[in-house]
């Protein structure tokens, strides 16, 4: 088709997808094209602005490496990560809620026995973490695999520290036969997300702060259950109501209790959703 204009080009581009063999791919890209074109028309996008947008996305890609995913960070601060999590993790109300994955998970974290110290030298005040993994009926999920990871007292994850030659404040444990888990780490502290890249520039340009409330990451897997990716947040944190990545849920807030010896303890019990469970009572 010749002589396309701003009103006719959108449908023409969508029509070019007619022979796409994957129907889901066709559906997604048709919608994406339609919304992108509508966005450009809605804001009367200039050529200079679109060039700056392409430069921003290019810089975001250049900031990504094996230890950092700037596109995940961008998705997080735009609320898209949490929106996707909310749409895809409807659960019965008694099950533990999911939240954002974050950009600092790594595969093949070191394995620890229950009761071990996963801090492995990370800076921070000592903290003991314990709890149970159960199903909605209260039955123990024996042997559940538990990935844990967190930032240190300076607000940095181990993968952000080039000087480290070993993982810190992250590890893999397994629940015991009664669904119990137990490990030592360091006190979770609030920290700013990385601002030395395009996402930081976006936050500065829009007058937003980069802070995340103190939290501990968990990924819990067990046969027959949906994998749970979530955080547990400190109840006294000042940033709970303005998390830079919109990840806080009331049900995920818990007290870190200060002990007489100056160390801390956290207890949190998780409830996994069976893979075949109905979701009609979802939140």
């Amino acid at each position: 088709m010749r002589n396309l204009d701003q009103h006719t080009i959108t449908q023409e581009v969508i029509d070019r997808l007619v022979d796409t063999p994957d129907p889901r791919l066709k559906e997604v890209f048709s919608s994406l094209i339609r919304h992108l074109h509508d966005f450009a028309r809605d804001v009367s996008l200039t050529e200079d602005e679109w060039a700056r947008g392409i430069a921003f996305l290019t810089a975001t890609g250049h900031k990504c490496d094996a230890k950092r995913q700037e596109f995940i960070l961008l998705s997080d601060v735009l609320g898209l990560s949490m929106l996707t999590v909310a749409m895809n993790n409807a659960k019965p109300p008694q099950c533990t809620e999911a939240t954002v994955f974050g950009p600092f998970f790594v595969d093949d974290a070191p394995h620890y026995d229950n009761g071990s110290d996963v801090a492995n030298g990370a800076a921070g005040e000592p903290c003991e973490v314990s709890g149970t993994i159960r199903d909605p009926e209260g039955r123990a999920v024996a042997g559940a695999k538990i990935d844990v990871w967190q930032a240190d007292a300076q607000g940095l994850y181990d993968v952000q520290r080039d000087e480290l030659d070993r993982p810190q404040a992250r590890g893999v444990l397994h629940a015991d036969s009664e669904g119990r888990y137990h490990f030592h780490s360091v006190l979770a502290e609030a920290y700013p997300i990385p601002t030395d890249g395009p996402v930081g520039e976006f936050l500065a340009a829009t007058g937003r702060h980069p802070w995340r409330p103190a939290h501990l990451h968990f990924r819990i897997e067990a046969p027959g259950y949906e994998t749970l990716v979530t955080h547990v947040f400190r109840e006294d944190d000042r940033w709970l109501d303005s998390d830079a990545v919109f990840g806080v849920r009331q049900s995920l807030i818990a007290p870190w209790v200060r002990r007489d010896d100056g160390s801390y303890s956290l207890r949190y019990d998780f409830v996994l959703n069976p893979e075949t469970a109905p979701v009609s009572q979802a939140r």
Side-chain angles (χ1 to χ4, degrees):
M1 183 176 182
R2 300 181 181 181
N3 300 322
L4 293 169
D5 60 24
Q6 62 177 304
H7 304 293
T8 60
I9 189 171
T10 302
Q11 191 57 50
E12 178 66 15
V13 176
I14 293 172
D15 289 345
R16 301 284 178 93
L17 303 177
V18 64
D19 295 323
T20 304
D22 184 333
R24 178 58 176 169
L25 182 67
K26 180 180 179 181
E27 177 188 11
V28 170
F29 268 89
S30 294
S31 181
L32 176 65
I33 291 164
R34 184 176 296 108
H35 282 81
L36 282 175
H37 284 216
D38 285 346
F39 157 74
R41 282 186 284 262
D42 183 50
V43 301
S44 299
L45 192 67
T46 68
E47 293 175 83
D48 179 64
E49 288 167 342
W50 183 225
R52 290 166 62 189
I54 290 174
F56 175 81
L57 294 175
T58 301
T60 301
H62 288 165
K63 198 65 179 178
C64 298
D65 57 29
K67 295 183 177 181
R68 174 166 169 181
Q69 235 300 350
E70 191 79 358
F71 273 110
I72 290 179
L73 203 60
L74 178 60
S75 174
D76 288 349
V77 302
L78 292 177
L80 184 58
S81 296
M82 197 58 223
L83 171 61
T84 305
V85 168
M87 290 191 302
N88 288 275
N89 286 274
K91 303 176 189 298
Q94 66 268 38
C95 293
T96 304
E97 291 188 272
T99 190
V100 291
F101 201 30
F104 296 118
F105 173 81
V106 298
D107 290 312
D108 302 320
H111 286 247
Y112 292 94
D113 293 330
N114 261 323
S116 297
D117 179 10
V118 307
N120 200 17
E125 303 206 45
C127 181
E128 183 179 22
V129 184
S130 63
T132 60
I133 315 294
R134 300 193 177 278
D135 72 7
E137 305 302 320
R139 295 181 292 254
V141 181
K145 179 185 177 184
I146 309 164
D147 272 278
V148 297
W149 67 104
Q150 69 173 99
D152 61 21
Q154 280 74 53
L156 295 174
Y157 289 82
D158 52 1
V159 294
Q160 296 176 278
R161 292 189 175 278
D162 293 334
E163 75 277 11
L164 286 180
D165 60 0
R166 66 190 188 283
Q168 288 186 333
R170 75 171 66 241
V172 178
L173 309 99
H174 287 83
D176 67 15
S177 61
E178 297 183 28
R180 298 174 300 191
Y181 72 93
H182 171 214
F183 63 92
H184 294 268
S185 188
V186 294
L187 179 67
E189 302 279 6
Y191 65 85
I193 62 173
T195 57
D196 59 339
V199 171
E201 295 174 5
F202 165 76
L203 293 178
T206 54
R208 286 177 52 186
H209 73 72
W211 285 88
R212 295 221 63 203
H215 61 274
L216 183 58
H217 292 263
F218 288 84
R219 184 177 76 168
I220 305 174
E221 302 171 272
Y225 295 89
E226 295 177 358
T227 295
L228 173 65
V229 175
T230 195
H231 307 355
V232 179
F233 296 88
R234 275 179 62 183
E235 70 174 4
D236 57 349
D237 196 281
R238 64 176 293 194
W239 304 108
L240 287 172
D241 292 320
S242 61
D243 179 12
V245 307
F246 308 97
V248 177
R249 294 295 178 266
Q250 183 63 42
S251 67
L252 302 177
I253 299 172
W256 264 254
V257 178
R258 184 176 175 86
R259 295 167 163 172
D260 292 340
D261 64 0
S263 68
Y264 288 81
S265 67
L266 163 69
R267 179 178 175 86
Y268 195 87
D269 298 326
F270 296 92
V271 178
L272 301 186
N273 192 33
E275 288 182 336
T276 58
V279 296
S280 58
Q281 301 181 53
R283 291 179 177 86

